Amino acid sequence: MRVIVGSTPPGHAHHRGGDLLCVVRALLKKIRRRVLVGDRVLVGGVDWADRRGMIEDVFERRAEVADPPVANVDRIVLLFSLDQPQPEPATLTRFLVEAESTGIPFLLVFNKVELVDDKTISYWRDRLKSWGYDPLFLSVDQKSGLSALEEMLEGQTTVIVGPSGVGKSSLINALRCNQNISEEDPIHKLVEQNSKWFGEQRVGTVSKKSGKGKHTTRHVSLLPIVGGGFLADTPGFNQPSLMKVTKKGLAETFPEIRKMLAENEPSKCLFNDCVHLGERGCVVKGDWERYPYYLQLLDEIKIRESFQLRTFGTKREGDVRYKTGVMGVKQAEPRLELKKHRRVSRKKINQSILDDIDDDLDEDNWFEVKQHSRKR
Ligand SMILES: Nc1nc2c(ncn2[C@@H]2O[C@H](COP(=O)(O)OP(=O)(O)OP(=O)(O)O)[C@@H](O)[C@H]2O)c(=O)[nH]1
Ligand SMILES: [Mg+2]
Ligand SMILES: [Zn+2]
């Protein structure tokens, strides 16, 4: 992995930092502590002449995006294109849900505006507005609308995600080219010395037949951009996994539901932890565009959670704990996983399902639920 080093120890005056090519210490792999793009790491055994070293530890992460895996991200840019490929509402929803679930601020951007007429642009603007979003429209090819985005990304670490072929790598190239990197920024000065960081991201074509991209970008990489800050290019994919989204959390990722619940304060839904299937006393009415997507995703997550419950005895993913390590910095490490080969007893599964139902309900609601389950 390539690690940027801000400064070197005293006595190494002739090496002004730069970057090191590092291997990851075997122990980290053994305890399955993954090193992600964007991680701050502890490097040891440095050979300054050869610019090599070893990643010995990983510092605590401020934020983490699971899909694609990038650490310490300040912002997500969700990129789609208005044509070639056209936006698909179901895919768009999946990406939006995934971005909402990270809790990291994100920006929805539509590229290739020059391929469509004004009517199409306002159609998508209005449609997205009814979902609760205010997207940015631009064209990388025509270099229009880029400066608004540029300003927002300054000094931050941003990860750009979206389907294949929408122009993620093209956008990154546009934000990196024809500009001088700020002289004051020490990291950028260091980066300047290494031409690898200046290579353009490869751009692919979109298939004429299907209108889809060809998965040109294969790796996640963090690239320095204008005005300081980094932008992570990622491979395009159509199916964010939604692994971190829970059955209870899903509603929170839809602005439409958040709005309906806020408008109905303080009454809310009859059930305390209603999952909004339109039961009696549910205020999330079924007459909004994305309700079918909500129900579809809820089904998918339910299936996944019950699978996780059966396989691991827990539905909670990626538990980490913190300990203070070398240099007094808190570091995250994964909790030990249950041994996979040990079968979870049926009794234990039933107990955890009961516990789950228990947290879902107030005592007053018990009767309702029994009624419900009898009907089914
Ligand atoms: N018409 C038009 N084409 C564009 C624009 N921006 C990018 N493209 C084209 O879209 C195609 C795909 O661009 P890429 O940047 O490779 O797309 P990507 O999102 O990185 O794709 P993956 O790496 O496969 O995920 C290329 O042929 C680009 O030239 C634009 O604003 N207008
Ligand atoms: Mg790409
Ligand atoms: Zn409800």
Side-chain angles (χ1 to χ4, degrees):
M1 297 186 119
R2 199 166 289 277
V3 178
I4 300 181
V5 187
S7 61
T8 53
H12 289 83
H14 57 295
H15 296 292
R16 305 173 13 209
D19 64 333
L20 299 171
L21 198 59
C22 294
V23 291
V24 178
R25 194 176 160 199
L27 180 69
L28 291 187
K29 290 184 192 159
K30 212 165 179 174
I31 62 171
R32 288 204 246 160
R33 185 185 291 160
R34 279 217 295 169
V35 185
L36 304 184
V37 169
D39 260 326
R40 292 183 60 230
V41 296
L42 193 65
V43 175
V46 177
D47 175 346
W48 290 106
D50 258 4
R51 294 180 165 275
R52 285 176 186 274
M54 180 187 283
I55 295 176
E56 297 193 333
D57 226 327
V58 182
F59 292 119
E60 188 184 351
R61 290 172 187 144
R62 249 185 303 122
E64 184 178 332
V65 179
D67 210 357
V70 185
N72 301 320
V73 171
D74 297 308
R75 188 192 286 275
I76 296 169
V77 165
L78 211 55
L79 190 70
F80 276 76
S81 54
L82 286 177
D83 201 5
Q84 294 177 22
Q86 287 179 357
E88 290 168 18
T91 308
L92 201 49
T93 294
R94 229 185 148 84
F95 272 95
L96 286 166
V97 165
E98 179 89 343
E100 291 264 6
S101 76
T102 61
I104 298 167
F106 72 92
L107 193 68
L108 178 61
V109 181
F110 284 99
N111 185 23
K112 311 196 188 181
V113 290
E114 91 285 358
L115 294 181
V116 299
D117 54 13
D118 288 349
K119 250 171 64 190
T120 309
I121 298 173
S122 45
Y123 167 82
W124 281 105
R125 194 188 295 282
D126 293 347
R127 191 164 179 187
L128 264 302
K129 199 172 170 200
S130 77
W131 297 7
Y133 297 103
D134 183 16
L136 219 63
F137 291 87
L138 51 80
S139 165
V140 174
D141 261 17
Q142 311 281 302
K143 300 214 182 313
S144 69
L146 289 177
S147 54
L149 181 64
E150 223 166 67
E151 262 169 45
M152 276 185 260
L153 306 187
E154 241 178 64
Q156 298 193 325
T157 297
T158 304
V159 59
I160 181 163
V161 298
S164 180
V166 297
K168 297 179 294 298
S169 301
S170 309
L171 177 62
I172 288 186
N173 289 340
L175 294 178
R176 297 172 67 210
C177 286
N178 318 324
Q179 325 253 352
N180 301 315
I181 280 177
S182 155
E183 293 271 306
E184 291 108 65
D185 191 330
I187 286 184
H188 284 74
K189 216 181 278 170
L190 298 171
V191 159
E192 210 175 5
Q193 301 162 352
N194 190 323
S195 63
K196 278 220 171 95
W197 291 87
F198 276 103
E200 295 237 321
Q201 285 298 96
R202 233 185 90 214
V203 162
T205 54
V206 172
S207 151
K208 284 222 171 66
K209 237 179 170 172
S210 68
K212 290 198 187 334
K214 293 177 179 167
H215 301 281
T216 307
T217 305
R218 300 280 173 170
H219 304 282
V220 179
S221 44
L222 209 53
L223 303 159
I225 51 166
V226 187
F230 293 90
L231 195 52
D233 195 5
T234 68
F237 54 101
N238 284 313
Q239 291 284 322
S241 67
L242 310 184
M243 281 306 279
K244 293 264 161 78
V245 188
T246 61
K247 200 173 61 192
K248 287 181 198 167
L250 182 65
E252 276 298 301
T253 67
F254 280 77
E256 301 96 316
I257 298 184
R258 293 201 296 260
K259 188 160 165 259
M260 280 183 261
L261 291 176
E263 280 168 356
N264 280 282
E265 283 277 14
S267 62
K268 294 204 171 175
C269 297
L270 183 64
F271 285 70
N272 225 353
D273 281 316
C274 183
V275 287
H276 316 303
L277 291 169
E279 306 94 334
R280 191 166 68 77
C282 177
V283 301
V284 177
K285 308 266 161 26
D287 60 352
W288 45 286
E289 189 195 344
R290 293 203 300 161
Y291 192 46
Y293 297 136
Y294 169 75
L295 295 177
Q296 220 172 308
L297 293 175
L298 188 66
D299 251 356
E300 179 185 320
I301 291 166
K302 269 184 185 165
I303 292 167
R304 191 202 62 216
E305 284 188 353
S306 70
F307 172 78
Q308 284 174 338
L309 205 60
R310 267 184 286 134
T311 318
F312 307 113
T314 172
K315 58 178 188 179
R316 279 169 255 287
E317 256 277 303
D319 280 352
V320 287
R321 61 177 179 180
Y322 293 98
K323 65 160 198 178
T324 306
V326 195
M327 294 173 72
V329 180
K330 265 208 311 182
Q331 292 158 356
E333 62 176 32
R335 275 184 212 288
L336 289 178
E337 272 182 50
L338 278 182
K339 286 216 174 70
K340 280 182 192 153
H341 59 262
R342 197 192 295 152
R343 258 191 65 196
V344 182
S345 73
R346 194 167 292 266
K347 191 172 157 203
K348 198 163 170 194
I349 292 170
N350 289 344
Q351 189 54 48
S352 49
I353 292 171
L354 283 178
D355 287 345
D356 203 37
I357 293 173
D358 230 15
D359 333 309
D360 282 359
L361 300 169
D362 301 336
E363 274 173 359
D364 290 348
N365 289 332
W366 260 113
F367 180 68
E368 282 282 340
V369 167
K370 279 189 196 146
Q371 291 276 355
H372 232 79
S373 49
R374 208 167 291 152
K375 260 182 255 158
R376 277 185 210 151

